[in-house]
Amino acid sequence: MKRRFLFGLGVFDMVVLAFPVAFFGPPEHLHQWVWMGGFAMAGLLLIAAGLRDSVGVGAASLDWHVAAGIGYLCFGIGMVASTAPTLSGTREDVFVSALTIVTIVPMMAFMGIDFIRGGVHLDISKWE
């Protein structure tokens, strides 16, 4: 798989994020700021990781796989913030939110940490 996939994933993330902002306006509550901020940061980092070999952050430089890993972690944080308010809703809302938090978020965290570590479990050399 090529890094262009990361670029496409980041663009898709930003487009999906643009729809709630376009239809409902800017966020009003803290959890909305957190999930939109997490998704936006994830999208920007994944786009940068898909296009560049390294990403400059101040005086430091992050390799593409570190930027992608942080992007996956930001996406997981955004998923938790987007589903957490529904944990006090109906039985179906609680089930879907808990299922998301138990399945998708650990997968994003695992992928993010493994990308940051340089691909200990996942072969990131195929992404070059």
Side-chain angles (χ1 to χ4, degrees), residues 24-46:
F24 303 114
E28 298 174 358
H29 302 288
L30 178 62
H31 72 88
Q32 292 172 333
W33 280 102
V34 173
W35 78 260
M36 286 185 170
F39 283 6
M41 184 59 81
L44 292 173
L45 285 168
L46 290 173

PDB file of all heavy atoms in Angstrom, residues 24-46:
ATOM      1  N   PHE A  24     -24.394  22.859  10.206  1.00  0.00           N
ATOM      2  CA  PHE A  24     -24.803  23.215  11.560  1.00  0.00           C
ATOM      3  C   PHE A  24     -24.015  24.369  12.162  1.00  0.00           C
ATOM      4  O   PHE A  24     -24.302  24.810  13.269  1.00  0.00           O
ATOM      5  CB  PHE A  24     -24.696  21.995  12.487  1.00  0.00           C
ATOM      6  CG  PHE A  24     -25.502  20.827  12.012  1.00  0.00           C
ATOM      7  CD1 PHE A  24     -24.868  19.665  11.608  1.00  0.00           C
ATOM      8  CD2 PHE A  24     -26.879  20.886  11.940  1.00  0.00           C
ATOM      9  CE1 PHE A  24     -25.593  18.578  11.164  1.00  0.00           C
ATOM     10  CE2 PHE A  24     -27.617  19.815  11.492  1.00  0.00           C
ATOM     11  CZ  PHE A  24     -26.973  18.654  11.103  1.00  0.00           C
ATOM     12  N   GLY A  25     -22.992  24.824  11.466  1.00  0.00           N
ATOM     13  CA  GLY A  25     -22.201  25.940  11.975  1.00  0.00           C
ATOM     14  C   GLY A  25     -21.077  25.457  12.883  1.00  0.00           C
ATOM     15  O   GLY A  25     -20.831  24.265  13.018  1.00  0.00           O
ATOM     16  N   PRO A  26     -20.402  26.403  13.517  1.00  0.00           N
ATOM     17  CA  PRO A  26     -19.274  26.024  14.385  1.00  0.00           C
ATOM     18  C   PRO A  26     -19.756  25.264  15.623  1.00  0.00           C
ATOM     19  O   PRO A  26     -20.923  25.375  16.020  1.00  0.00           O
ATOM     20  CB  PRO A  26     -18.659  27.376  14.769  1.00  0.00           C
ATOM     21  CG  PRO A  26     -19.732  28.364  14.568  1.00  0.00           C
ATOM     22  CD  PRO A  26     -20.608  27.833  13.469  1.00  0.00           C
ATOM     23  N   PRO A  27     -18.876  24.493  16.232  1.00  0.00           N
ATOM     24  CA  PRO A  27     -19.271  23.721  17.417  1.00  0.00           C
ATOM     25  C   PRO A  27     -19.663  24.620  18.580  1.00  0.00           C
ATOM     26  O   PRO A  27     -19.165  25.735  18.718  1.00  0.00           O
ATOM     27  CB  PRO A  27     -18.024  22.907  17.755  1.00  0.00           C
ATOM     28  CG  PRO A  27     -16.949  23.363  16.869  1.00  0.00           C
ATOM     29  CD  PRO A  27     -17.497  24.277  15.849  1.00  0.00           C
ATOM     30  N   GLU A  28     -20.575  24.108  19.409  1.00  0.00           N
ATOM     31  CA  GLU A  28     -21.069  24.878  20.546  1.00  0.00           C
ATOM     32  C   GLU A  28     -20.610  24.316  21.884  1.00  0.00           C
ATOM     33  O   GLU A  28     -20.489  25.048  22.853  1.00  0.00           O
ATOM     34  CB  GLU A  28     -22.599  24.908  20.527  1.00  0.00           C
ATOM     35  CG  GLU A  28     -23.167  25.583  19.305  1.00  0.00           C
ATOM     36  CD  GLU A  28     -24.675  25.468  19.243  1.00  0.00           C
ATOM     37  OE1 GLU A  28     -25.271  24.828  20.141  1.00  0.00           O
ATOM     38  OE2 GLU A  28     -25.267  26.021  18.305  1.00  0.00           O
ATOM     39  N   HIS A  29     -20.371  23.008  21.944  1.00  0.00           N
ATOM     40  CA  HIS A  29     -20.008  22.363  23.206  1.00  0.00           C
ATOM     41  C   HIS A  29     -18.569  21.867  23.153  1.00  0.00           C
ATOM     42  O   HIS A  29     -18.000  21.669  22.085  1.00  0.00           O
ATOM     43  CB  HIS A  29     -20.950  21.183  23.482  1.00  0.00           C
ATOM     44  CG  HIS A  29     -22.387  21.581  23.547  1.00  0.00           C
ATOM     45  ND1 HIS A  29     -22.913  22.287  24.598  1.00  0.00           N
ATOM     46  CD2 HIS A  29     -23.394  21.396  22.666  1.00  0.00           C
ATOM     47  CE1 HIS A  29     -24.197  22.509  24.363  1.00  0.00           C
ATOM     48  NE2 HIS A  29     -24.516  21.988  23.193  1.00  0.00           N
ATOM     49  N   LEU A  30     -18.010  21.634  24.319  1.00  0.00           N
ATOM     50  CA  LEU A  30     -16.619  21.208  24.413  1.00  0.00           C
ATOM     51  C   LEU A  30     -16.370  19.897  23.674  1.00  0.00           C
ATOM     52  O   LEU A  30     -15.384  19.762  22.950  1.00  0.00           O
ATOM     53  CB  LEU A  30     -16.202  21.078  25.880  1.00  0.00           C
ATOM     54  CG  LEU A  30     -14.771  20.600  26.114  1.00  0.00           C
ATOM     55  CD1 LEU A  30     -13.782  21.604  25.533  1.00  0.00           C
ATOM     56  CD2 LEU A  30     -14.521  20.374  27.584  1.00  0.00           C
ATOM     57  N   HIS A  31     -17.264  18.915  23.825  1.00  0.00           N
ATOM     58  CA  HIS A  31     -17.046  17.628  23.159  1.00  0.00           C
ATOM     59  C   HIS A  31     -17.076  17.787  21.641  1.00  0.00           C
ATOM     60  O   HIS A  31     -16.374  17.063  20.930  1.00  0.00           O
ATOM     61  CB  HIS A  31     -18.047  16.569  23.633  1.00  0.00           C
ATOM     62  CG  HIS A  31     -19.448  16.780  23.144  1.00  0.00           C
ATOM     63  ND1 HIS A  31     -19.896  16.286  21.948  1.00  0.00           N
ATOM     64  CD2 HIS A  31     -20.483  17.435  23.698  1.00  0.00           C
ATOM     65  CE1 HIS A  31     -21.159  16.630  21.786  1.00  0.00           C
ATOM     66  NE2 HIS A  31     -21.545  17.327  22.835  1.00  0.00           N
ATOM     67  N   GLN A  32     -17.860  18.737  21.142  1.00  0.00           N
ATOM     68  CA  GLN A  32     -17.863  18.986  19.699  1.00  0.00           C
ATOM     69  C   GLN A  32     -16.539  19.591  19.258  1.00  0.00           C
ATOM     70  O   GLN A  32     -16.016  19.243  18.196  1.00  0.00           O
ATOM     71  CB  GLN A  32     -19.012  19.912  19.314  1.00  0.00           C
ATOM     72  CG  GLN A  32     -20.372  19.280  19.483  1.00  0.00           C
ATOM     73  CD  GLN A  32     -21.487  20.285  19.288  1.00  0.00           C
ATOM     74  OE1 GLN A  32     -21.310  21.488  19.504  1.00  0.00           O
ATOM     75  NE2 GLN A  32     -22.645  19.798  18.885  1.00  0.00           N
ATOM     76  N   TRP A  33     -15.986  20.501  20.040  1.00  0.00           N
ATOM     77  CA  TRP A  33     -14.679  21.072  19.718  1.00  0.00           C
ATOM     78  C   TRP A  33     -13.608  19.994  19.717  1.00  0.00           C
ATOM     79  O   TRP A  33     -12.722  19.978  18.861  1.00  0.00           O
ATOM     80  CB  TRP A  33     -14.306  22.174  20.706  1.00  0.00           C
ATOM     81  CG  TRP A  33     -14.948  23.485  20.417  1.00  0.00           C
ATOM     82  CD1 TRP A  33     -16.025  24.023  21.059  1.00  0.00           C
ATOM     83  CD2 TRP A  33     -14.578  24.426  19.408  1.00  0.00           C
ATOM     84  NE1 TRP A  33     -16.336  25.234  20.509  1.00  0.00           N
ATOM     85  CE2 TRP A  33     -15.467  25.512  19.498  1.00  0.00           C
ATOM     86  CE3 TRP A  33     -13.581  24.455  18.449  1.00  0.00           C
ATOM     87  CZ2 TRP A  33     -15.383  26.612  18.666  1.00  0.00           C
ATOM     88  CZ3 TRP A  33     -13.493  25.547  17.611  1.00  0.00           C
ATOM     89  CH2 TRP A  33     -14.394  26.605  17.726  1.00  0.00           C
ATOM     90  N   VAL A  34     -13.693  19.070  20.681  1.00  0.00           N
ATOM     91  CA  VAL A  34     -12.674  18.024  20.779  1.00  0.00           C
ATOM     92  C   VAL A  34     -12.763  17.070  19.601  1.00  0.00           C
ATOM     93  O   VAL A  34     -11.749  16.738  18.988  1.00  0.00           O
ATOM     94  CB  VAL A  34     -12.792  17.263  22.126  1.00  0.00           C
ATOM     95  CG1 VAL A  34     -11.861  16.069  22.156  1.00  0.00           C
ATOM     96  CG2 VAL A  34     -12.489  18.197  23.292  1.00  0.00           C
ATOM     97  N   TRP A  35     -13.985  16.617  19.249  1.00  0.00           N
ATOM     98  CA  TRP A  35     -14.045  15.653  18.143  1.00  0.00           C
ATOM     99  C   TRP A  35     -13.753  16.319  16.814  1.00  0.00           C
ATOM    100  O   TRP A  35     -13.086  15.736  15.963  1.00  0.00           O
ATOM    101  CB  TRP A  35     -15.319  14.832  18.139  1.00  0.00           C
ATOM    102  CG  TRP A  35     -16.594  15.415  17.636  1.00  0.00           C
ATOM    103  CD1 TRP A  35     -17.603  15.910  18.385  1.00  0.00           C
ATOM    104  CD2 TRP A  35     -17.034  15.511  16.277  1.00  0.00           C
ATOM    105  NE1 TRP A  35     -18.618  16.326  17.582  1.00  0.00           N
ATOM    106  CE2 TRP A  35     -18.315  16.092  16.284  1.00  0.00           C
ATOM    107  CE3 TRP A  35     -16.473  15.169  15.051  1.00  0.00           C
ATOM    108  CZ2 TRP A  35     -19.036  16.336  15.122  1.00  0.00           C
ATOM    109  CZ3 TRP A  35     -17.190  15.415  13.897  1.00  0.00           C
ATOM    110  CH2 TRP A  35     -18.462  15.987  13.937  1.00  0.00           C
ATOM    111  N   MET A  36     -14.192  17.535  16.615  1.00  0.00           N
ATOM    112  CA  MET A  36     -13.856  18.215  15.362  1.00  0.00           C
ATOM    113  C   MET A  36     -12.373  18.561  15.295  1.00  0.00           C
ATOM    114  O   MET A  36     -11.746  18.436  14.241  1.00  0.00           O
ATOM    115  CB  MET A  36     -14.708  19.473  15.194  1.00  0.00           C
ATOM    116  CG  MET A  36     -16.129  19.179  14.837  1.00  0.00           C
ATOM    117  SD  MET A  36     -17.021  20.703  14.504  1.00  0.00           S
ATOM    118  CE  MET A  36     -18.522  20.059  13.840  1.00  0.00           C
ATOM    119  N   GLY A  37     -11.811  18.954  16.417  1.00  0.00           N
ATOM    120  CA  GLY A  37     -10.376  19.231  16.455  1.00  0.00           C
ATOM    121  C   GLY A  37      -9.554  17.976  16.236  1.00  0.00           C
ATOM    122  O   GLY A  37      -8.541  17.991  15.527  1.00  0.00           O
ATOM    123  N   GLY A  38      -9.978  16.862  16.841  1.00  0.00           N
ATOM    124  CA  GLY A  38      -9.279  15.596  16.638  1.00  0.00           C
ATOM    125  C   GLY A  38      -9.339  15.140  15.194  1.00  0.00           C
ATOM    126  O   GLY A  38      -8.327  14.711  14.622  1.00  0.00           O
ATOM    127  N   PHE A  39     -10.510  15.246  14.585  1.00  0.00           N
ATOM    128  CA  PHE A  39     -10.646  14.841  13.180  1.00  0.00           C
ATOM    129  C   PHE A  39      -9.858  15.783  12.265  1.00  0.00           C
ATOM    130  O   PHE A  39      -9.220  15.337  11.311  1.00  0.00           O
ATOM    131  CB  PHE A  39     -12.114  14.832  12.765  1.00  0.00           C
ATOM    132  CG  PHE A  39     -12.881  13.638  13.252  1.00  0.00           C
ATOM    133  CD1 PHE A  39     -12.325  12.715  14.115  1.00  0.00           C
ATOM    134  CD2 PHE A  39     -14.173  13.436  12.854  1.00  0.00           C
ATOM    135  CE1 PHE A  39     -13.037  11.621  14.559  1.00  0.00           C
ATOM    136  CE2 PHE A  39     -14.911  12.333  13.287  1.00  0.00           C
ATOM    137  CZ  PHE A  39     -14.337  11.428  14.146  1.00  0.00           C
ATOM    138  N   ALA A  40      -9.902  17.090  12.552  1.00  0.00           N
ATOM    139  CA  ALA A  40      -9.180  18.045  11.708  1.00  0.00           C
ATOM    140  C   ALA A  40      -7.677  17.826  11.804  1.00  0.00           C
ATOM    141  O   ALA A  40      -6.972  17.808  10.783  1.00  0.00           O
ATOM    142  CB  ALA A  40      -9.533  19.478  12.115  1.00  0.00           C
ATOM    143  N   MET A  41      -7.175  17.637  13.020  1.00  0.00           N
ATOM    144  CA  MET A  41      -5.743  17.397  13.187  1.00  0.00           C
ATOM    145  C   MET A  41      -5.346  16.073  12.530  1.00  0.00           C
ATOM    146  O   MET A  41      -4.291  15.995  11.886  1.00  0.00           O
ATOM    147  CB  MET A  41      -5.378  17.382  14.670  1.00  0.00           C
ATOM    148  CG  MET A  41      -3.910  17.237  14.914  1.00  0.00           C
ATOM    149  SD  MET A  41      -2.934  18.549  14.187  1.00  0.00           S
ATOM    150  CE  MET A  41      -3.139  19.810  15.389  1.00  0.00           C
ATOM    151  N   ALA A  42      -6.183  15.060  12.666  1.00  0.00           N
ATOM    152  CA  ALA A  42      -5.894  13.783  12.018  1.00  0.00           C
ATOM    153  C   ALA A  42      -5.845  13.942  10.503  1.00  0.00           C
ATOM    154  O   ALA A  42      -4.931  13.433   9.842  1.00  0.00           O
ATOM    155  CB  ALA A  42      -6.953  12.742  12.400  1.00  0.00           C
ATOM    156  N   GLY A  43      -6.812  14.654   9.949  1.00  0.00           N
ATOM    157  CA  GLY A  43      -6.831  14.864   8.507  1.00  0.00           C
ATOM    158  C   GLY A  43      -5.603  15.606   8.009  1.00  0.00           C
ATOM    159  O   GLY A  43      -4.979  15.218   7.017  1.00  0.00           O
ATOM    160  N   LEU A  44      -5.234  16.665   8.714  1.00  0.00           N
ATOM    161  CA  LEU A  44      -4.067  17.443   8.300  1.00  0.00           C
ATOM    162  C   LEU A  44      -2.773  16.629   8.413  1.00  0.00           C
ATOM    163  O   LEU A  44      -1.921  16.668   7.517  1.00  0.00           O
ATOM    164  CB  LEU A  44      -3.957  18.715   9.141  1.00  0.00           C
ATOM    165  CG  LEU A  44      -5.059  19.752   8.913  1.00  0.00           C
ATOM    166  CD1 LEU A  44      -4.926  20.884   9.921  1.00  0.00           C
ATOM    167  CD2 LEU A  44      -5.017  20.271   7.494  1.00  0.00           C
ATOM    168  N   LEU A  45      -2.630  15.871   9.490  1.00  0.00           N
ATOM    169  CA  LEU A  45      -1.424  15.057   9.652  1.00  0.00           C
ATOM    170  C   LEU A  45      -1.360  13.938   8.626  1.00  0.00           C
ATOM    171  O   LEU A  45      -0.285  13.627   8.099  1.00  0.00           O
ATOM    172  CB  LEU A  45      -1.361  14.487  11.068  1.00  0.00           C
ATOM    173  CG  LEU A  45      -0.964  15.475  12.154  1.00  0.00           C
ATOM    174  CD1 LEU A  45      -1.226  14.900  13.536  1.00  0.00           C
ATOM    175  CD2 LEU A  45       0.493  15.870  12.005  1.00  0.00           C
ATOM    176  N   LEU A  46      -2.493  13.315   8.319  1.00  0.00           N
ATOM    177  CA  LEU A  46      -2.491  12.241   7.324  1.00  0.00           C
ATOM    178  C   LEU A  46      -2.212  12.785   5.926  1.00  0.00           C
ATOM    179  O   LEU A  46      -1.510  12.141   5.135  1.00  0.00           O
ATOM    180  CB  LEU A  46      -3.819  11.477   7.360  1.00  0.00           C
ATOM    181  CG  LEU A  46      -4.028  10.631   8.616  1.00  0.00           C
ATOM    182  CD1 LEU A  46      -5.440  10.068   8.637  1.00  0.00           C
ATOM    183  CD2 LEU A  46      -3.008   9.522   8.719  1.00  0.00           C
TER     184      LEU A  46
END
